[in-house]
Amino acid sequence: MASLGEELLNVVNKLQDLVFNTIGNDSLDLPQIVVVGSQSSGKSSVLENIVARDFLPRGSGIVTRRPLILQLINVPSERDDNPDSYEVRLPRTAESVSGQGEWAEFHHIPGQKFRDFGEVKREIENETARIAGSNKGISRQPINLKIYSPHVLSLTLVDLPGLTKVPIGDQPSDIEKQTRNLISEYIAKPNSLILAVSPANVDIVNSEALKLARHVDPTCRRTIGVLTKVDLMDHGTNALDILSGRVYPLKLGFIGVVNRSQQDIQGNKSLADALKDEADFFRHNPAYRNMANRCGTQFLAKSLNNTLMAHIRERLPDIKARLNTLMGQTQQELASYGNMQFSGKEHRGSLILQLMTRFASSFISSIDGTSMEISTKELCGGARIYYIFNTVFGNSLETIDPTTNLSVLDIRTAIRNSTGPRPSLFVPELAFDLLVKPQIKMLETPSQRCVELVYEELIKICHTCGSTELSRFPRLQAKLIEVVSDLLRERLGPASSYVESLISIQRAYINTNHPNFLGAAAAMESVVQNKREKEKKAVAAEERRKREQRRMKELSGGMNGTETPEDGEEAADEVKSIHTLHHRGHATKGSRSMSPVIGRGAENGHHSIAANMNGRSGSPPGFDRSAGAGSTRDSFLNYFFGKEGGLPSAGGLNAIGGTAAAAAAGNRHVSHNAEPSFSQSIRRGNNRHNERSLPMQPHYSQDEYDMNTGRDYNDYDSQFPSSQGDPELTEREALETELIRRLISSYFNIVRESIADQVPKAVMHLLVNHSKDVVQNRLVSELYKEEYFGDLLYEDDGIKAEREKCEKLLSTYREAAKIVGEVL
């Protein structure tokens, strides 16, 4: 059994050396004993007693400021007749004390043997100061020390800084937190045994070491308790209950030891004498004589050795399984750096072709959404292109108001300019074309932005198509991205030009026969309907206001008990005014003006353009009744558009003329008075100077105007309405403006739907799909040239170092698995 235990310890020591020399301690959790205790609890003295050498630094404050991984390796003595004996032999003679057959080695100084343990102490101090500095701070980087001696049992111990509460001197203010975190990092590993050192002259319930151990090992299955300073307890007290496990039970129990006092250390008392005095203390003390064989440093060393061997035997299968897992992960990582079989010059062409194919396939699969590396955190690849089409582009089109930049004055001016010098009988279709084309142009900016966004997204996809294997060759990766970017840039021009052509096509021909177009008839019917509703609401509001006024007057009259004649007359006037307002509303719906020139009287004549359009331009009531014959819809539609909103045919014009003639037949004097003569227009020139519909007045030559008015020609030119003001519209102008606005909105919606459908199709065909189809051929034709192979396959130094590190790591794991396999 002893040989098996020695073999297990040798296996762990080999693993410890292998892991620490190559990959560090964090990658593989190996069985070891971690020594934990508060400052001045006797940790260093316990370790020195186990080694039987004075080799650890001493002083005030924190002395151990770096983890010390101490490997004790038992070597047979030259004079030992039984080298397989497993009993500890303490140094007794001067020869053994001088260090014959014992030496120490540091990992950071390979090959150098320290036979003087005073030099070992100084090297630990120097190495600690080199890494942790001289300001009493601590460091996580460990110091590895091996001690070869025939007087020790094979153990692996880790000495950690002692727990402290209050920083002293130049210690950091958070020294307690740093120390606790470092200790917890080591004792939390399930393969570590915890050696909790507590002084016997302090109540055990206040032990910081046991508190930390309990936190990571609540069942106390891997905690060994060490009780120091048993000889310093108060008279009449002893630690028998603690050592027996009745106060704080531990599965591995408590072991009492007696270390050298500070006076003994200053008096250079040898460890051999100290160990002898310790054994005498436990044999002769009445409280501990019955358990003397289970106390002391020698029993502690044997217990630690046996416990560590049992722990190694228990954890070794888990270590082997962990090694297999690490080997698999490392092999997978190494494979990501590429197959070294293609590293020769004869395989460079096939390697480049293979990487090109993978890059092109990754580019295509990212667009199609079939990539194996699809993100679950955000949209990527083709999903972002769909988002651009459906959300970004669609919303940008929907937010465009087709008439937001068209003021009432703009529409009125366009209508007037499209009629030329003649008065218009109908709303000119040229005004609609003139106004709707610039509105269609507004769709070009979001359409071009859609093309640019898809192009930018394809560039992003191109930059994310690299793999770990491709990252080995940064120049090749850069060239692949450059070639694909050039391809996308080439296709950006045709896609943008075609999208621009789509807008120009829509502006080239305004198809008012589109089945979804609102049409003049429907638009006019909607305008008239809205006008009627507004008038009804106005009449109802006026009636409510009058009723409220009458009610208030009746209340005030009832309170006074009198009613004046004026009240009755006023009430009659209110009824009459309401009736007149109602009559005017009907007259407006059922009549039209014969010509824009009719009824352009002076302002002091109490007439307006709106009155003329309603048939009230100085005409008797009989004219209103004859003009109101026929349906309201026919009256408005025939007036503005003839038949069904199109250009009036001969029959339509005759029908309009017949209606006008019928009205004129019954009122001949009205017809003669309605058209003012040329001389009458001259005489009314001064009165019409400030008239709102001035642009529709006759335009005289300069000489003629000077003769009739005596004013300068330039004065008249200044009277044209400009875009600076916002004059009131006549009733006809308001109707025409609203009609044009609705027709523009209807046709713009048709074009918007068409653009929203055609632009994504054009982008997919000309940019996305074309790039997918030719990317493989473009890469091969541009880069698959033998003179480029050497430059393209230049391997990055960082990637090369990572691959070499991965290869070394894999070799270490394989060797460790082989070592473990020797005993399993």
Side-chain angles (χ1 to χ4, degrees), residues 26-41:
D26 295 335
S27 58
L28 190 61
D29 180 18
L30 294 175
Q32 56 192 1
I33 300 174
V34 181
V35 184
V36 183
S38 59
Q39 188 173 317
S40 302
S41 62

Side-chain angles (χ1 to χ4, degrees), residues 227-508:
L227 211 58
T228 62
K229 303 181 181 181
V230 178
D231 57 329
L232 299 181
M233 297 182 68
D234 294 337
H235 292 288
T237 61
N238 57 61
L240 193 58
D241 291 340
I242 299 175
L243 295 175
S244 301
R246 291 192 289 267
V247 176
Y248 192 89
L250 293 176
K251 180 178 176 57
L252 301 177
F254 279 91
I255 299 175
V257 295
V258 175
N259 300 325
R260 292 181 298 170
S261 65
Q262 190 65 30
Q263 183 178 358
D264 295 336
I265 296 174
Q266 293 176 356
N268 293 326
K269 184 178 181 179
S270 67
L271 283 171
D273 294 338
L275 293 175
K276 182 176 179 300
D277 292 344
E278 179 192 37
D280 293 341
F281 172 81
F282 284 109
R283 276 198 305 267
H284 298 99
N285 191 292
Y288 308 112
R289 68 176 60 177
N290 293 331
M291 56 185 317
N293 59 339
R294 289 184 286 115
C295 295
T297 301
Q298 187 172 357
F299 177 76
L300 175 62
K302 290 182 179 180
S303 298
L304 293 178
N305 179 265
N306 295 331
T307 304
L308 184 59
M309 284 191 298
H311 189 63
I312 291 173
R313 193 179 300 112
E314 178 184 353
R315 305 300 299 180
L316 212 54
D318 294 338
I319 294 175
K320 185 176 182 180
R322 175 63 178 165
L323 283 172
N324 291 332
T325 303
L326 291 174
M327 281 192 295
Q329 294 175 352
T330 309
Q331 284 177 338
Q332 186 177 1
E333 182 181 356
L334 183 61
S336 65
Y337 293 114
N339 194 344
M340 294 305 296
Q341 296 177 356
F342 291 93
S343 59
K345 290 185 177 181
E346 65 277 7
H347 300 294
R348 292 187 301 181
S350 58
L351 177 60
I352 288 181
L353 189 60
Q354 180 184 10
L355 294 175
M356 286 181 183
T357 304
R358 291 181 181 178
F359 184 86
S361 300
S362 177
F363 180 75
I364 296 173
S365 62
S366 297
I367 296 175
D368 294 338
T370 58
S371 175
M372 299 302 294
E373 299 179 358
I374 295 178
S375 173
T376 58
K377 303 298 182 182
E378 60 180 0
L379 293 178
C380 61
R384 290 183 63 88
I385 296 177
Y386 171 77
Y387 180 80
I388 292 171
F389 288 155
N390 185 61
T391 304
V392 179
F393 179 56
N395 290 344
S396 64
L397 293 183
E398 291 297 330
T399 55
I400 298 177
D401 186 355
T403 60
T404 184
N405 59 344
L406 288 179
S407 65
V408 174
L409 185 59
D410 294 337
I411 299 177
R412 188 187 71 173
T413 303
I415 294 174
R416 289 183 177 181
N417 289 339
S418 61
T419 59
R422 299 175 303 281
S424 62
L425 296 177
F426 320 106
V427 177
E429 189 171 347
L430 183 60
F432 171 71
D433 289 359
L434 183 66
L435 292 171
V436 78
K437 288 181 179 179
Q439 306 311 107
I440 296 176
K441 184 71 173 178
M442 292 193 301
L443 297 173
E444 183 173 355
T445 299
S447 300
Q448 293 290 358
R449 183 56 183 158
C450 176
V451 179
E452 294 172 359
L453 288 175
V454 174
Y455 166 76
E456 293 172 1
E457 191 57 40
L458 291 175
I459 293 293
K460 291 179 183 178
I461 294 174
C462 172
H463 281 80
T464 58
C465 288
S467 60
T468 307
E469 182 179 3
L470 183 60
S471 62
R472 291 173 53 196
F473 311 106
R475 296 180 182 177
L476 175 60
Q477 186 175 16
K479 278 294 184 181
L480 292 175
I481 295 175
E482 180 182 348
V483 171
V484 177
S485 299
D486 291 342
L487 172 62
L488 295 175
R489 199 176 301 112
E490 290 177 8
R491 300 308 304 168
L492 178 62
S496 299
S497 300
Y498 185 80
V499 169
E500 184 179 358
S501 299
L502 289 177
I503 305 299
S504 300
I505 289 170
Q506 295 291 343
R507 298 176 66 233

Side-chain angles (χ1 to χ4, degrees), residues 158-177:
V158 180
D159 187 21
L160 296 176
L163 290 165
T164 183
K165 290 288 186 181
V166 180
I168 59 174
D170 56 353
Q171 289 180 350
S173 58
D174 62 339
I175 187 67
E176 180 184 5
K177 181 179 179 182

Side-chain angles (χ1 to χ4, degrees), residues 739-754:
L739 179 64
I740 290 293
R741 188 181 296 275
R742 298 200 179 197
L743 292 177
I744 290 174
S745 298
S746 175
Y747 193 80
F748 185 87
N749 290 335
I750 294 173
V751 177
R752 175 161 50 192
E753 292 180 3
S754 177

Side-chain angles (χ1 to χ4, degrees), residues 352 782-793:
I352 288 181
E782 292 287 338
L783 300 179
Y784 192 72
K785 298 177 181 179
E786 189 172 357
E787 59 269 21
Y788 294 165
F789 290 169
D791 183 61
L792 293 177
L793 292 181

